[in-house]
Amino acid sequence: MATTKTTTAKKTVGKQRNKHPQYEVPPVDNRPVNHLKIAVGLLEVDPILDAQRMFQRPWANKLHTIWNPAVLMAAIVSKREDGRYYLLDGQHSTKVALERHGPDFERHCLVFEGLTKPEEAALFLAANRDRKAVKPVDNYRVALTAGEPLVTRVDAEVRSCGLTVTGSTSPNQVGAVQAVLAVGEKREGLLPKVLNTLADAWGRDKTSWDNMVIRAVGMVIDHEANRSKIDLDRLAKVLRKKTVRQWKADAIRQTTSGGGSQSRSQPLAEDIVTAYNIGFVDTALVLIAPGRGVRP
């Protein structure tokens, strides 16, 4: 009779999962923290902390344009032993509130008491450095949902060109969020002229919707001296003579240390104006480069 050889299977014992994870015990923090409304005239900036982030007037001006006190977030404040309130976060919005509404305007504040100078500095860094930056496209989408006027208009202007603003660029999608907002902010109706000119120059290609190029062409068209005389068909033909990559490479070579998209746009705009003006005899048709005054 045939016999069958059998082997005894080894019993595999898996590691038992820890159903109760061991959490780290947080340090005891008995420092008082209060939520108060404080007049902006009473909120100060410590020069020592301010040295880490100097007041930036351009950013304050930007806040002025989108100002809405109804959605003003709470400032982070340190109340010191002398009873004075020092801003750890919210310097720029407090300055704008002061300029728009006066020193008696009250804003919400998260007020810490009993902090040492190193603790204040640590909170300053936590508020201004130790947080993940929000992507421009995410800010754009949220602003659109909130009905922010500028973003709502810009979105409508982009869609009027058969395009949409997204986080990436494709033939029918513009990923240069900051560029379309910068151009749209200059004046109503400018952005469609820029996008349609780029489409006429290079077609609906993803390279057409370049951040640097959008800004530069916006500068050229928007110059006060150029608005009434610029020929957009001629501009598109001038742009078509080189690829987007070639235009950008030439501009970057003229920029100290390479620069960013915004700083590179200036020399690119100047190159475009120079190319546009070639062949003109009548000076009345000549465009003026961005950054230069109107000719008498």
Side-chain angles (χ1 to χ4, degrees), residues 8-9 11 28 65 79-80 108 123 133 138 143-144 167 174 180 202 220 237 250 262 270 273 280 288:
T8 304
K11 186 177 181 181
V28 177
T65 64
K79 183 180 180 181
R80 295 183 179 170
H108 291 276
L123 277 175
D138 293 329
L144 189 61
V174 181
V180 296
W202 298 296
V220 173
K237 291 178 182 178
D250 291 343
Q262 187 170 356
E270 293 174 355
V273 168
F280 276 137
I288 304 300

Side-chain angles (χ1 to χ4, degrees), residues 218-272:
M219 290 179 183
V220 173
I221 298 175
D222 188 54
H223 193 292
E224 183 181 358
N226 300 338
R227 293 179 185 180
S228 61
K229 62 183 177 181
I230 190 167
D231 183 340
L232 297 181
D233 290 334
R234 178 183 175 88
L235 178 59
K237 291 178 182 178
V238 168
L239 292 172
R240 197 180 304 133
K241 292 179 180 179
K242 293 193 287 186
T243 65
V244 171
R245 185 174 183 178
Q246 289 171 330
W247 280 109
K248 292 176 62 177
D250 291 343
I252 290 171
R253 281 195 291 269
Q254 302 174 52
T255 308
T256 305
S257 302
S261 294
Q262 187 170 356
S263 62
R264 293 170 183 171
S265 298
Q266 179 75 30
L268 174 55
E270 293 174 355
D271 287 349
I272 293 171

Side-chain angles (χ1 to χ4, degrees), residues 153 181-191 193-194 197 213-232 235 269 272-273 287-292 294:
R153 175 171 60 78
L181 287 175
V183 172
E185 190 175 17
K186 291 178 181 293
R187 61 184 170 96
E188 186 174 353
L190 173 62
L191 184 57
K193 291 181 180 180
V194 172
T197 299
V213 173
I214 291 173
R215 291 176 185 270
V217 174
M219 290 179 183
V220 173
I221 298 175
D222 188 54
H223 193 292
E224 183 181 358
N226 300 338
R227 293 179 185 180
S228 61
K229 62 183 177 181
I230 190 167
D231 183 340
L232 297 181
L235 178 59
I272 293 171
V273 168
L287 297 186
I288 304 300
R292 298 181 184 177
V294 179

Side-chain angles (χ1 to χ4, degrees), residues 58-78:
W59 176 238
N61 292 342
K62 177 69 175 180
L63 291 181
H64 267 290
T65 64
I66 60 174
W67 184 253
N68 182 359
V71 295
L72 182 61
M73 302 297 288
I76 300 177
V77 174
S78 174

Side-chain angles (χ1 to χ4, degrees), residues 5-27:
K5 186 177 181 180
T6 60
T7 57
T8 304
K10 293 182 179 180
K11 186 177 181 181
T12 303
V13 180
K15 293 183 179 180
Q16 186 177 4
R17 292 184 178 181
N18 186 357
K19 296 181 179 179
H20 303 286
Q22 298 297 313
Y23 295 113
E24 181 180 342
V25 178

Side-chain angles (χ1 to χ4, degrees), residues 51-213:
Q52 300 175 59
R53 186 185 183 190
M54 298 296 291
F55 178 77
Q56 301 171 25
R57 172 48 65 181
W59 176 238
N61 292 342
K62 177 69 175 180
L63 291 181
H64 267 290
T65 64
I66 60 174
W67 184 253
N68 182 359
V71 295
L72 182 61
M73 302 297 288
I76 300 177
V77 174
S78 174
K79 183 180 180 181
R80 295 183 179 170
E81 292 182 353
D82 59 5
R84 296 164 69 176
Y85 297 102
Y86 286 88
L87 286 161
L88 303 181
D89 184 53
Q91 173 192 175
H92 290 81
S93 55
T94 295
K95 180 67 171 177
V96 174
L98 180 66
E99 292 174 347
R100 293 181 72 99
H101 308 299
D104 295 330
F105 174 80
E106 294 184 333
R107 71 171 301 173
H108 291 276
C109 297
L110 189 62
V111 182
F112 289 81
E113 296 185 41
L115 297 179
T116 63
K117 288 294 183 69
E119 287 173 334
E120 286 184 346
L123 277 175
F124 176 93
L125 289 176
N128 293 282
R129 184 196 67 182
D130 301 339
R131 57 186 176 189
K132 185 178 179 180
V134 180
K135 294 181 179 179
V137 68
D138 293 329
N139 277 330
Y140 182 93
R141 289 168 178 162
V142 173
L144 189 61
T145 301
E148 190 171 293
L150 172 61
V151 178
T152 300
R153 175 171 60 78
V154 165
D155 195 70
E157 291 182 336
V158 172
R159 290 183 181 277
S160 73
C161 301
L163 300 165
T164 56
V165 176
T166 64
S168 58
T169 300
S170 71
N172 295 312
Q173 297 177 324
V174 181
V177 180
Q178 292 173 312
V180 296
L181 287 175
V183 172
E185 190 175 17
K186 291 178 181 293
R187 61 184 170 96
E188 186 174 353
L190 173 62
L191 184 57
K193 291 181 180 180
V194 172
L195 296 177
N196 286 328
T197 299
L198 298 182
D200 290 343
W202 298 296
R204 286 181 173 269
D205 185 84
K206 67 178 183 179
T207 61
S208 301
W209 322 126
D210 180 81
N211 188 326
M212 181 175 163
V213 173

